[in-house]
Each structure stands twice: as C-alpha cells, then as structure tokens.
Amino acid sequence: MAQTTRELKALIFDVDGTLAETERDGHRPAFNQAFADNGLDWQWSEALYGELLEVSGGKERIRAYVQQSQPNFVLPDGFADLADFIKHLHAVKTQHYKQFAQEGRIPLRPGVKRLLNEARDKGIRLAIATTTTPANVQALLENTLGAESLSWFEVIAAGDMVPHKKPAPDIFEYALAHLNLPPENCLGFEDTNNGLLSATQTGLKTIITVNDYTRQQDFSQATLVISDFGEPEQPFQVIAGDAKDAQYFDIALAQAICAA
Ligand code: XBP
C-alpha cells in the first residue's frame, strides 16, 4: 500500500471555544434567557456551566441538568414528555444565541480570521466539526466573516448530523469522509478534552487553543497546546508541544506539524 505523504491539505475546526468564545459570550446567556422565557428559575452560573460543559450537546446538557439538579421538576402542560420540552427549550435558546451573534456579541478569537484567509490563499481546504447546531454555525460565521464565509468550508459537520456527539469520533469522521482525505493530510483544532478525544480517535493530529473553561483539562494527546492562534503583534503562549519558534499559528507551522 502506498505510503501516505503527510502533506497538509485541510484544516478541520471545532467551533465553540475554538473559533470564538461562544460558551461564555453566547451559549450560557442564551440558555439562561430561554429558561427565563419559559418561567423556569434555572440560572446556569459560569462555574456551574463549566461543569455542565462536560456533556456535549445543548439538549443533552439540559437533560443532564434536570436529572442531576431538578429532581422535583414537573413537566409543563402541552408537552408529551421531557424530550419534547427540552427540544422546545433548546429551540428558544438557539434563537437567543443567533440574536446575540447578530448583535455582534460573539467575536472571533485572535488569529482565526488571519489563519482562515491564509489557508484559502494557499489552497488549504477548510472544514468544520462541531457539536452545536448548523444554525448557530451559520449565525456565527455570517456575523463575523460575512455570508460568503459559509462557502469557505467544504463541509460543516454539526450537531445531530451524527448519532454520537463528542468525545465520540463521529463528527470528525463525517468531516474527513466528506473531504475524502485521510487524517494524515489534515489537522484538527479543538479547545476541550472531549473534542481532543473525538479528533484524535480518527487519527488526526490536533492543536488545542485553551480558554478559561478548559485550561485545566487533560491535553496530553494534543500535538500542540497554545493560548490562542496569536497575531504578529500579539504572540501566542506555547503551553505544550513544539511550535518551532513560531510566534503565532500560521500555515507554515501547520505544514511543519503535519509533515513531522
Ligand atoms: C460545544 C457543545 C455545544 C455547545 C452548545 O460544541 O458541546 O453543545 O455547547 O450548542 P463544539 P448547542 O465544542 O463541538 O463546537 O446548544 O447547539 O448544542
């Protein structure tokens, strides 16, 4: 069987916490607003939300919270069962998230726009592998990079497109299949241990950009752990791995990591 050359051909990005601080700036306040809209006194503090983030998927997160913290919850009238009510709550939450994105409340993280544009200039293909909903990805990209940016990504693998959410490998496998590329020609980008497990199970070398929710997590399987992608005038901090003296994450560094 021919040896696969480790030439970089595509970058596969997680969204929440990687492209933007969406958990802090978007999802958590959107969940709380949806709870209030539905007469629930549930308020997810930053600390509680940090714990709840162990559960991938907003609908799954709400269910885990009810089971763990709301033993006396009574299903409101008009809903067939808990799943039906959670689906309603999540749809309301998604509307609030989209509104926050439209209001410009969810900016991209440092270096993201620069890296995406450099990849496009150099013919490196782009994909997304995220647990959030396609609607949320569209709202974030449209309101930070413009409507045409959706076409930059050959595949936007998101949410319920796959049966098992992160840390299962399904969503990254879906992205690789639609790129029709082996993992050796791609790099994964994540911010959580769940996401790292998902990406690395497919064989992807994975770069972690940490944030306040994930800084203390186990990233021992990551190829490189950095504070963020950095900018020429705002160098990143290297937390683990070999950044080859780079001051910020660019395509040259990505190519060197892929080829190593
Ligand atoms: C992060 C998640 C998502 C978001 C909330 O996704 O686990 O569930 O927290 O979005 P990723 P939804 O890191 O894979 O981008 O409510 O739409 O699930």
Side-chain angles (χ1 to χ4, degrees), residues 35 42 44 48 52 55 57-74 81-83 85-86 89:
F35 300 152
W42 308 346
W44 289 355
L48 173 58
L52 291 169
V55 179
K59 296 191 290 293
E60 295 80 359
R61 194 166 304 143
I62 296 170
R63 177 177 291 273
Y65 171 72
V66 171
Q67 288 169 344
Q68 291 162 13
S69 307
Q70 297 294 336
N72 302 318
F73 172 71
V74 175
D81 54 22
L82 179 58
F85 181 58
I86 287 173
L89 271 182

Side-chain angles (χ1 to χ4, degrees), residues 5-112:
T5 62
R6 299 191 72 99
E7 176 194 1
L8 180 69
K9 294 182 178 175
L11 306 180
I12 308 175
F13 291 90
D14 163 54
V15 174
D16 296 305
T18 300
L19 295 186
E21 296 278 13
T22 57
E23 302 295 357
R24 180 193 66 196
D25 300 336
H27 292 303
R28 187 179 74 87
F31 279 113
N32 286 333
Q33 190 59 59
F35 300 152
D37 292 351
N38 284 272
L40 298 167
D41 64 354
W42 308 346
Q43 275 299 300
W44 289 355
S45 66
E46 287 197 20
L48 173 58
Y49 193 63
E51 294 168 21
L52 291 169
L53 276 172
E54 275 306 304
V55 179
S56 284
K59 296 191 290 293
E60 295 80 359
R61 194 166 304 143
I62 296 170
R63 177 177 291 273
Y65 171 72
V66 171
Q67 288 169 344
Q68 291 162 13
S69 307
Q70 297 294 336
N72 302 318
F73 172 71
V74 175
L75 187 68
D77 292 340
F79 296 95
D81 54 22
L82 179 58
D84 189 32
F85 181 58
I86 287 173
K87 187 176 176 185
H88 161 73
L89 271 182
H90 192 251
V92 173
K93 172 260 176 185
T94 298
Q95 287 308 318
H96 285 301
Y97 178 94
K98 288 163 62 176
Q99 180 63 32
F100 295 160
Q102 286 155 8
E103 293 167 357
R105 291 172 52 171
I106 313 175
L108 295 178
R109 295 194 65 184
V112 168

Side-chain angles (χ1 to χ4, degrees), residues 114 224 226-231 234-238 243 245-250 253:
R114 170 185 55 73
L224 181 67
I226 48 183
S227 54
D228 50 57
F229 291 126
E231 296 286 11
Q234 186 186 337
F236 57 31
Q237 279 84 46
V238 177
D245 299 327
Q247 298 297 301
Y248 53 90
F249 195 94
D250 63 3
L253 177 54

Side-chain angles (χ1 to χ4, degrees), residues 114-132:
R114 170 185 55 73
L115 181 60
L116 293 174
N117 281 323
E118 186 187 0
R120 295 172 62 227
D121 291 345
K122 295 183 176 175
I124 304 297
R125 299 157 63 185
L126 298 173
I128 278 174
T130 176
T131 304
T132 195

